[in-house]
Amino acid sequence: MNILLLVKNFDLGGTEVHVRELANQLFSLGHQIHIVSNTGRQVKLLTKGITHHPWPFSEHKTPLRIYQLSRLIRKHQINIIHAHQRIAITHAAILGKLTNTTAIATVHGRLSHDIRSKFIRKMLDHIIAVAPNRLSSLSKNSPILAKSSVIYNAVQPNSPSPASNRKPIISYVGRMDRKHTSVIRDLITESMPQVIGQFPETELHVVGDGPYLKRLIHLYDEIPSGKTKPKVIFHGYHPTPSEILAKSILNLGVGRVAIEALTVNTPVISVNSEHCGGLITLSNYQKLKQTNFVARAFEKYSSKTLTQQLVEFMQNTPPLNLTLHDQVRNEFSFKTMTSHMVELYQKYG
């Protein structure tokens, strides 16, 4: 099949990594892949042979982009348009009708954000959610629900990292923007000072780039030197965060990052700026899986709660759980995800 992937950003973030890996996997199966997006670091990680078109998406460029994309679709005989992120999804819905091509959208965040317009929802041929809760706002009789399905995110099948390879590192991986940095700020100023009070060798490793990275580094630099100043390593952008996750004794995160950590058998505390669910275990795994490992049904986030959970983990570090690792590795494998995706494409294309 000839497949066109649309995504606004292609630099950092779970959605961008998902699109890159999906493109690489589909290409390895013999499909012809075109990607249209802004420029970004993910382009360098695409398999040679995939065609990337650096056409930025923006509201005022919509007429031009629709014209360009329509020509691309006809020239390359595109069978499937698969879009990610709000503005790209809007373009896909319009293009699907203009060119009589199947248009599919993946909702990585909230349905109300990624596909706000009911008109656009109706125009799409199919909607994919990365977790069941993304569709929870729809009624059981919704015609949109009838053309929707769940295909979980996937990660590379990393081998479990043994305890002997690990250092006293707590890792956080994410985009350094306004929404995601409040947790890191609390870690630097409140949680980690208390952790190192009992476990002085512990380090915090922060992986990711974005507009707030310099602010966080400045915040850390302003902390006076002394016994309570934690050791924080800012890695910035890292093409393979799993290398750092595999060396960590604990990861803090949700979504794709949590999955990546679990595939290298690194324990994870499910935490973001809104929710703090504690350690992911076999007993709560299925419940957290339904929400892409965001602890919506657990405690609201607070620095106090996170600090308590960190200290408790350090005081009673559980043994590495290969059973959980194997389950995550099987359920979130690219083989499984790509197989489901191709079946869906073939159904419509």
Side-chain angles (χ1 to χ4, degrees):
M1 284 186 288
N2 299 323
I3 301 166
L4 172 61
L5 301 177
L6 305 181
V7 60
K8 179 184 178 183
N9 302 312
F10 208 42
D11 192 39
L12 304 167
T15 299
E16 290 86 335
V17 174
H18 171 89
V19 173
R20 178 248 294 171
E21 290 291 353
L22 175 61
N24 289 343
Q25 292 291 320
L26 290 169
F27 185 79
S28 72
L29 295 176
H31 302 287
Q32 295 301 306
I33 308 298
H34 292 262
I35 301 176
V36 174
S37 72
N38 293 352
T39 57
R41 280 166 278 198
Q42 298 300 329
V43 177
K44 295 180 180 179
L45 301 175
L46 291 171
T47 301
K48 186 177 181 181
I50 295 173
T51 305
H52 178 257
H53 306 267
W55 298 346
F57 286 99
S58 65
E59 301 291 349
H60 74 276
K61 288 185 178 179
T62 295
L64 171 62
R65 206 59 75 232
I66 292 293
Y67 170 74
Q68 291 175 314
L69 288 166
S70 296
R71 292 189 63 184
L72 185 152
I73 289 166
R74 293 187 174 97
K75 178 181 178 180
H76 297 283
Q77 299 180 327
I78 298 297
N79 307 111
I80 299 288
I81 308 167
H82 188 173
H84 310 253
Q85 298 173 338
R86 183 183 61 81
I87 192 169
I89 291 172
T90 300
H91 281 65
I94 296 170
L95 287 162
K97 296 304 178 185
L98 284 177
T99 64
N100 194 31
T101 307
T102 297
I104 295 172
T106 291
V107 176
H108 293 268
R110 291 187 175 92
L111 181 66
S112 59
H113 177 268
D114 284 7
I115 319 178
R116 297 174 187 172
S117 168
K118 292 182 180 179
F119 182 60
I120 296 298
R121 294 182 189 184
K122 289 180 181 179
M123 292 173 70
L124 291 164
D125 293 290
H126 196 84
I127 296 171
I128 299 169
V130 298
N133 73 308
R134 300 296 191 265
L135 304 173
S136 60
S137 62
L138 300 173
S139 68
K140 291 182 179 180
N141 298 322
S142 169
I144 305 302
L145 189 61
K147 63 175 184 180
S148 300
S149 61
V150 175
I151 300 179
Y152 289 99
N153 271 319
V155 297
Q156 292 293 352
N158 298 301
S159 299
S161 179
S164 58
N165 287 357
R166 298 176 187 270
K167 300 177 181 179
I169 293 172
I170 296 173
S171 57
Y172 183 101
V173 181
R175 192 196 306 268
M176 301 297 116
D177 58 17
R178 184 177 181 179
K179 179 181 179 182
H180 296 89
T181 53
S182 59
V183 174
I184 305 172
R185 186 176 60 246
D186 289 345
L187 281 167
I188 293 170
T189 59
E190 298 181 40
S191 301
M192 287 304 297
Q194 293 195 47
V195 170
I196 65 168
Q198 298 184 46
F199 306 93
E201 300 301 315
T202 310
E203 302 175 1
L204 174 65
H205 286 229
V206 178
V207 182
D209 200 356
Y212 276 62
L213 179 58
K214 289 184 179 179
R215 297 189 188 192
L216 289 167
I217 294 173
H218 177 72
L219 171 66
Y220 175 69
D221 290 341
E222 289 294 301
I223 299 173
S225 298
K227 292 183 178 180
T228 60
K229 183 172 183 175
K231 184 174 182 180
V232 180
I233 308 297
F234 292 94
H235 293 268
Y237 170 74
H238 197 296
T240 51
S242 59
E243 293 178 6
I244 296 169
L245 295 174
K247 296 177 183 177
S248 305
I249 58 170
L250 177 68
N251 173 253
L252 309 176
V254 297
R256 185 184 184 86
V257 172
I259 298 167
E260 275 199 278
L262 291 171
T263 61
V264 292
N265 207 23
T266 296
V268 178
I269 286 179
S270 170
V271 60
N272 62 9
S273 60
E274 297 179 0
H275 305 281
C276 199
L279 198 66
I280 298 174
T281 64
L282 281 171
S283 62
N284 62 25
Y285 168 76
Q286 291 298 336
K287 188 173 185 178
L288 285 166
K289 178 184 172 184
Q290 299 299 305
T291 58
N292 203 25
F293 299 98
V294 177
R296 299 187 186 280
F298 296 75
E299 286 195 55
K300 292 292 184 182
Y301 172 79
S302 72
S303 60
K304 181 180 178 181
T305 299
L306 178 57
T307 301
Q308 289 174 343
Q309 292 177 354
L310 284 173
V311 172
E312 287 174 8
F313 176 86
M314 297 299 294
Q315 290 174 339
N316 303 284
T317 303
L320 298 179
N321 193 326
L322 279 173
T323 303
L324 179 58
H325 161 266
D326 290 341
Q327 187 166 347
V328 174
R329 195 175 181 209
N330 291 333
E331 294 183 354
F332 292 92
S333 72
F334 266 110
K335 182 179 180 181
T336 300
M337 183 200 73
T338 308
S339 175
H340 290 327
M341 205 71 77
V342 170
E343 287 177 10
L344 182 64
Y345 291 166
Q346 291 172 339
K347 175 182 176 181
Y348 286 97

